[in-house]
Amino acid sequence: MVEVTIIRHGQANTGARDEKSYDKLSDLGHQQARWLGEVLRGQKPFDRLIAGGMRRQQETAKNLALPDLEMQIDPRLNELNYFGLAESMKQQTGVEIPDDLASFVAHVPQLLTRWQAGDMCEHLETYDDFRTRCLGAVRDAAAQNTRPVLVSSTGVIATLTAEALGLDMTMKSKVFLKVMNTSVHRFIWENDTLHLAQYGAVPHLDIPGREHGRTYG
């Protein structure tokens, strides 16, 4: 039995209209990660730090400032290609890419449902391939029988949560929309099976004066 901790990256460049523009932490995103690092350094130490290949994930990992850990990179922790999937759905259905929160909340379940059904452009990563790489990243992190901490993104965390709890796409979409920036999630990998032990903890933001740090973007 191995406990795998997964952290969502800090607030990124909200309002961006493409992946390249989105993929960097805001000033608040850097601060969220520093605050979380302060909490984690007071807990039982991790012995491996693994981040996805995206800039916002690696910036978050660095800001945690966990002692004596060299960051390893695993691209399987990269986020799903939301902008690419959204453009594909727009071409096929005419549904516009969201530009406000209400539109985004309505857009997510539509997009994830079509993606799971295979109704996206052929050049994009399939839902099954995405699910497989998410599980593979956790399986390999757990195989070392260590205490790893991973830095990833919403889609990966929601997919793993849905896998552990057997959620359908409606419930997975709700999970997807409520993964807070720099939230902490713990999974147990046992007998080649994933179990959820903790979802969405933000001890570093449960401090008076840090209410503005509770973000989702």
Side-chain angles (χ1 to χ4, degrees), residues 147-190:
R147 181 173 163 78
V149 56
L150 284 52
V151 181
S152 188
S153 294
T154 296
V156 173
I157 293 168
T159 296
L160 294 170
T161 301
E163 181 73 19
L165 299 180
L167 303 181
D168 62 19
M169 189 52 73
T170 298
M171 294 305 298
K172 177 180 175 178
S173 298
K174 291 182 178 181
V175 171
F176 185 101
L177 290 165
K178 292 301 179 182
V179 182
M180 199 178 297
N181 293 119
T182 59
S183 54
V184 181
H185 311 257
R186 300 188 194 277
F187 295 87
I188 302 297
W189 189 267
E190 185 177 25

Side-chain angles (χ1 to χ4, degrees), residues 75-211:
R76 292 177 297 179
L77 296 171
N78 287 3
E79 180 60 297
L80 57 87
N81 182 2
Y82 194 90
F83 291 102
L85 293 168
E87 181 59 36
S88 174
M89 189 165 76
K90 178 181 177 181
Q91 292 174 10
Q92 295 175 1
T93 67
V95 174
E96 291 292 333
I97 299 173
D99 57 6
D100 59 65
L101 179 58
S103 298
F104 180 70
V105 169
H107 192 260
V108 166
Q110 296 179 63
L111 182 144
L112 294 181
T113 299
R114 288 186 62 84
W115 189 30
Q116 185 183 45
D119 296 331
M120 291 293 180
C121 294
E122 292 184 356
H123 70 277
L124 295 171
E125 180 181 32
T126 68
Y127 179 87
D128 286 343
D129 285 347
F130 177 74
R131 173 182 171 276
T132 296
R133 71 168 163 91
C134 293
L135 287 169
V138 174
R139 179 184 293 110
D140 290 350
Q144 304 298 318
N145 291 314
T146 58
R147 181 173 163 78
V149 56
L150 284 52
V151 181
S152 188
S153 294
T154 296
V156 173
I157 293 168
T159 296
L160 294 170
T161 301
E163 181 73 19
L165 299 180
L167 303 181
D168 62 19
M169 189 52 73
T170 298
M171 294 305 298
K172 177 180 175 178
S173 298
K174 291 182 178 181
V175 171
F176 185 101
L177 290 165
K178 292 301 179 182
V179 182
M180 199 178 297
N181 293 119
T182 59
S183 54
V184 181
H185 311 257
R186 300 188 194 277
F187 295 87
I188 302 297
W189 189 267
E190 185 177 25
N191 298 326
D192 207 37
T193 302
L194 190 67
H195 305 271
L196 180 66
Q198 175 181 283
Y199 174 83
V202 286
H204 56 304
L205 302 178
D206 292 336
I207 295 174
R210 294 185 182 179
E211 294 83 1

